[in-house]
Amino acid sequence: MNDTNQDEKFMQAAITQAYIAEENGDVPIGAVIVKDNQIIGKGYNQREQLQDPTAHAEIIALTAASAAVQSWRLHDCTIYVTLEPCTMCAGALVLARIDRLVYGCDDKKTGAVKSLYNIPTDERLNHIVEVTPDVLANDCSKILSDFFAKRRKENKNDQ
């Protein structure tokens, strides 16, 4: 299986996590962390569920992966996330020493990988994360746009 197929396979797993977030009333963003072609950590947005501003998919997945390998250093790991990470999550990826980030769609409002900032590839930091954007971008974008369209409709009906 080539890298593109692998990336799409694991991005599909992240998309599955995004749907779990949506089922729980959260913005549908999902993440998985892979080491040696095995998922070692999964996460989905749980900010509403936990009432925790740091409960982003990436943070939940990092915590799970760190527990799986019993180390905060996630060398030789790739994270797949459906949306370009924010500043908090991009910083956490650098601090966790993740080797590679693969994400779905850009986040023009808060993206800290390409859209607003370039945290994972900033050479002033002590670790550089390899970045692969736009994997299943249309699928990832559609999940979010459908979610927010549904929310707007619900809010309109509540008035």
Side-chain angles (χ1 to χ4, degrees):
M1 194 179 288
N2 67 31
D3 284 346
T4 301
N5 289 343
Q6 281 288 92
D7 287 349
E8 289 180 0
K9 169 188 164 187
F10 289 119
M11 186 60 74
Q12 284 292 350
I15 288 170
T16 298
Q17 293 298 303
Y19 282 120
I20 296 170
E22 182 175 29
E23 289 168 11
N24 287 299
D26 251 297
V27 176
I29 300 168
V32 297
I33 297 177
V34 174
K35 182 177 178 118
D36 299 326
N37 291 317
Q38 298 292 321
I39 294 174
I40 62 166
K42 299 177 184 179
Y44 56 87
N45 257 12
Q46 297 182 45
R47 292 184 307 167
E48 296 297 334
Q49 190 176 359
L50 299 177
Q51 290 299 300
D52 179 352
T54 68
H56 290 205
E58 299 94 325
I59 302 301
I60 304 292
L62 285 169
T63 300
S66 293
V69 299
Q70 299 183 325
S71 176
W72 61 268
R73 292 176 186 89
L74 296 175
H75 296 292
D76 303 319
C77 292
T78 298
I79 186 167
Y80 294 82
V81 62
T82 56
L83 182 68
E84 177 183 4
C86 69
T87 53
M88 174 183 70
C89 294
L93 298 178
V94 171
L95 294 173
R97 311 299 195 268
I98 286 277
D99 284 356
R100 185 167 174 248
L101 159 66
V102 179
Y103 72 88
C105 56
D106 294 340
D107 184 347
K108 301 292 184 201
K109 293 183 179 181
T110 65
V113 176
K114 178 175 97 175
S115 295
L116 299 178
Y117 306 102
N118 303 89
I119 292 171
T121 57
D122 188 327
E123 293 181 357
R124 296 172 294 177
L125 299 175
N126 65 338
H127 179 74
I128 301 295
V129 178
E130 178 187 336
V131 176
T132 303
D134 305 322
V135 173
L136 300 181
N138 291 336
D139 296 345
C140 294
S141 180
K142 184 170 178 1
I143 296 166
L144 288 163
S145 59
D146 289 353
F147 174 81
F148 286 113
K150 182 179 172 187
R151 275 270 172 98
R152 284 189 297 276
K153 184 177 180 185
E154 288 170 356
N155 288 341
K156 187 176 181 182
N157 291 339
D158 287 345
Q159 295 176 353

